[in-house]
Amino acid sequence: MRTQVVIIGGGPAGLLLGQLLQRQGIDTVLLERHSREYVLARIRAGVLEAGLVDLLHQAGVGERMQRNGLRHEEIYLAHSNRGFRIDFRQLCDSAVMVYGQTELTLDLYQARDAMNATMLHQVDQVEIHGADTDKPRVSFIHDGREQNFECDFIAGCDGFHGVSRNSVPADQRTLFERVYPLGWLGVLSRTPPVSDELIYASHARGFALCSMRSPGLSRYYIQVALEDSVQQWPDEAFWRELKRRIPHDAAESIVSGDSIEKSIAPLRSFVAEPMRWGRLFLCGDAAHIVPPTGAKGLNLAASDVYYLWRALSQYYEDGDEQDIDNYSAMALSRVWKAERFSWSMTNLLHRFPEQSQFDLRMQQAQLDYLESSRAAQTALAENYLGLPY
Ligand SMILES: Cc1cc2nc3c(=O)[nH]c(=O)nc-3n(C[C@H](O)[C@H](O)[C@H](O)COP(=O)(O)OP(=O)(O)OC[C@H]3O[C@@H](n4cnc5c(N)ncnc54)[C@H](O)[C@@H]3O)c2cc1C
C-alpha cells in the first residue's frame, strides 16, 4: 500500500497535521496504538494560545471551540495569601482560550471521519524503515496481520513514549533533559470553577493551580512528591491540601466534589535534536516535553505542526525543499524559548526538596519584581500567550 505521508500517532499533533494536509489534497494515513475511546478519555492540556486557535480555524475545526471555549484575558498569581493579576489584554492586547484537549481531539477525529481519511487504531509493532532513503516505509500489525505503507514522508507524532524518536540512530541525535523532583496531582471534578481566571499559587507547602475546562468542569492541581501515588490522595485529602495553598477567599468559596479523574504527572523538560532525520520528522511530544507550569505542551505540538504542514505543502506544490530543510531549526528555535519559559515558571512557583533560604528569597524577589514591574509582566504575558510562529 502507498500514501504520501504516514502519520504515526493519533494525538493532537498527528490529527491536526493530518487535517491540514488532507484539506490540501495531500494523502495521509494515520496510525494510532490505542483505541479511539482510550485517546478521547485522556485528560490533559486545556489552555490554547491564539496561534493554535488560528490554526484550528485554518484547519476548519474551530467552530465548536469558538462556541464553547472560554476566552481568558488574565491569570492570577498568588503568594503569601495575596496576589496580583497579569492582564493579557492590557499588556499585549491578546488572550488565550480554555478548551480541553479531549474536546479538540474529538473535533479533529470527527473532521477526519468526514473526509474519509484512513485512520487505523490499535496498531501494534510499528516500525520505520529506510527513513534516510528516498523510499521510506512503515510496517505494523493491524487486525492480526502485518501491513506496510510505502510513502514520501513519515511524521513521528507518537508522543514521548512512541517509536519515532528512537528510530533515529543514537549517533545522529542529541538529547537534553531535566527531571524535576516533584509531580502534579490533578483532579477533574464536575463542579463550577472557583474563579473565572486561572489561579497559580506559590505556597510554602507547594504549588497549586486552579484551572477549568468549562463552566461546570474544574481542573485543580497540587504539587506532590514524585513518589506519591493516587491512592495516597483520597478526595478529601486533596481538597484539604488545595485549600491550604490558595488564597483564603478562594479556599472559602471553592466548591468541592467527587473527582471524576485523578492522576499524577511527573515534571520533565526534554528536547531531542534534530527534529528531522532524512524523511522522518518528529513533531510534538515525540521531540520535546515541558513541565505543564507554562501551559505549553499542546501549544508547542501545534507550532511544530504548522512548520511541518507549511514545509510539506511547499514541497507538494512546487517541489521546493527549502522549508523541509529548515523544519528542524525553525521548530527548535520556538521549542527552546517555550522550554525556557516553562522551566522558569516551574522554578518560580514550586518548592524544591533541596531549596536553601537563599533560593526562597530569590523566588520571593522575583515574584515581588513581577508584581511591581509592567516590563516583567509584559514578558510573562508575551510568553504565556505564545511567541509568534
Ligand atoms: C498526563 C499528562 C497531562 C498533561 N497536562 C497538560 C496540561 O495541563 N497542559 C499542557 O499544556 N500540556 C499538558 N500535557 C502535555 C500535552 O497533553 C501534550 O504536550 C500533547 O498531548 C502533545 O500532543 P502529541 O500529539 O504530540 O502527543 P500525544 O498527545 O502523546 O499523542 C501521541 C499519540 O501517539 C500514540 N502512539 C504512541 N506510540 C505509538 C506507536 N508506537 N504507534 C502508534 N501510535 C502511537 C499515542 O497513543 C498517542 O495517542 C500533559 C501530558 C500528559 C501526559
Side-chain angles (χ1 to χ4, degrees):
M1 291 184 288
R2 197 185 147 74
T3 184
Q4 286 172 300
V5 182
V6 171
I7 299 173
I8 307 175
L15 287 162
L16 182 55
L17 179 67
Q19 174 71 8
L20 289 160
L21 292 174
Q22 288 286 150
R23 274 165 69 90
Q24 287 197 301
I26 300 167
D27 191 42
T28 66
V29 164
L30 194 146
L31 307 176
E32 166 56 47
R33 179 168 55 184
H34 290 293
S35 68
R36 183 179 180 128
E37 295 69 35
Y38 179 94
V39 174
L40 286 172
R42 285 191 305 220
I43 305 297
R44 292 185 170 181
V47 177
L48 317 189
E49 295 173 354
L52 173 51
V53 169
D54 287 349
L55 199 54
L56 292 171
H57 284 303
Q58 283 186 65
V61 289
E63 196 255 327
R64 208 165 64 94
M65 170 198 62
Q66 202 58 44
R67 199 161 12 100
N68 298 341
L70 306 170
R71 185 181 155 87
H72 276 220
E73 296 184 345
E74 57 185 17
I75 54 170
Y76 189 79
L77 286 188
H79 62 111
S80 321
N81 193 35
R82 62 195 180 84
F84 57 96
R85 291 192 164 72
I86 306 282
D87 187 327
F88 300 144
R89 202 175 49 79
Q90 252 186 32
L91 296 163
C92 296
D93 196 22
S94 189
V96 290
M97 180 77 89
V98 170
Y99 189 63
Q101 181 170 326
T102 37
E103 299 302 315
L104 184 153
T105 307
L106 176 65
D107 295 341
L108 286 162
Y109 269 140
Q110 287 176 345
R112 197 165 174 91
D113 288 344
M115 285 191 299
N116 257 330
T118 311
M119 173 165 48
L120 303 178
H121 279 95
Q122 293 175 300
V123 298
D124 200 13
Q125 296 176 34
V126 173
E127 280 182 42
I128 294 171
H129 310 269
D132 57 340
T133 71
D134 56 5
K135 283 199 172 33
R137 177 171 65 86
V138 178
S139 65
F140 55 95
I141 309 277
H142 186 244
D143 277 346
R145 282 189 304 120
E146 177 165 348
Q147 301 189 29
N148 276 275
F149 270 102
E150 290 176 1
C151 54
D152 301 329
F153 299 103
I154 301 164
C157 303
D158 47 355
F160 186 64
H161 300 288
V163 294
S164 298
R165 187 178 64 253
N166 291 327
S167 303
V168 179
D171 63 352
Q172 303 285 319
R173 56 176 198 192
T174 310
L175 309 181
F176 303 84
E177 184 170 47
R178 162 150 308 177
V179 178
Y180 302 85
L182 43 97
W184 274 23
L185 169 63
V187 157
L188 188 72
S189 72
R190 267 191 229 292
T191 51
V194 64
S195 154
D196 287 343
E197 65 218 338
L198 268 64
I199 301 175
Y200 286 80
S202 161
H203 191 275
R205 298 180 65 89
F207 171 76
L209 170 60
C210 303
S211 182
M212 69 207 63
R213 293 293 178 264
S214 70
L217 201 56
S218 298
R219 182 72 166 157
Y220 296 109
Y221 299 93
I222 55 171
Q223 169 190 342
V224 294
L226 202 49
E227 314 76 62
D228 281 11
S229 66
V230 167
Q231 291 70 32
Q232 283 170 265
W233 286 97
D235 287 357
E236 314 81 66
F238 174 82
W239 292 112
R240 207 179 318 119
E241 188 58 34
L242 176 68
K243 287 181 192 174
R244 283 175 168 160
R245 299 185 188 184
I246 58 178
H248 294 333
D249 51 348
E252 274 166 23
S253 59
I254 200 166
V255 180
S256 57
D258 292 343
S259 61
I260 53 174
E261 194 267 355
K262 193 190 287 174
S263 52
I264 295 182
L267 266 62
R268 179 196 305 268
S269 298
F270 174 88
V271 181
E273 288 190 0
M275 287 171 59
R276 174 196 177 191
W277 182 57
R279 288 175 172 256
L280 167 67
F281 301 92
L282 302 180
C283 207
D285 277 16
H288 40 74
I289 296 288
V290 284
T293 329
K296 288 285 161 259
L298 175 61
N299 292 298
L300 269 188
S303 56
D304 292 352
V305 165
Y306 172 80
Y307 294 126
L308 188 52
W309 165 51
R310 211 177 56 174
L312 294 176
S313 306
Q314 195 70 49
Y315 173 84
Y316 283 110
E317 240 166 63
D318 56 17
D320 184 348
E321 295 193 21
Q322 196 179 341
D323 283 353
I324 285 186
D325 292 338
N326 289 340
Y327 168 70
S328 178
M330 292 194 72
L332 282 169
S333 163
R334 194 172 188 281
V335 165
W336 276 114
K337 290 178 196 123
E339 289 280 349
R340 186 208 65 78
F341 177 66
S342 307
W343 161 84
S344 70
M345 288 285 278
T346 303
N347 288 331
L348 175 66
L349 297 171
H350 292 78
R351 289 296 192 273
F352 293 88
E354 305 288 313
Q355 231 167 359
S356 67
Q357 287 301 317
F358 178 83
D359 297 331
L360 288 169
R361 282 286 196 276
M362 286 296 101
Q363 275 186 336
Q364 191 56 52
Q366 214 180 327
L367 281 165
D368 290 345
Y369 174 54
L370 202 49
E371 184 163 7
S372 61
S373 161
R374 187 181 170 96
Q377 290 189 9
T378 307
L380 191 152
E382 185 184 40
N383 282 277
Y384 195 93
L385 291 163
L387 299 176
Y389 291 1

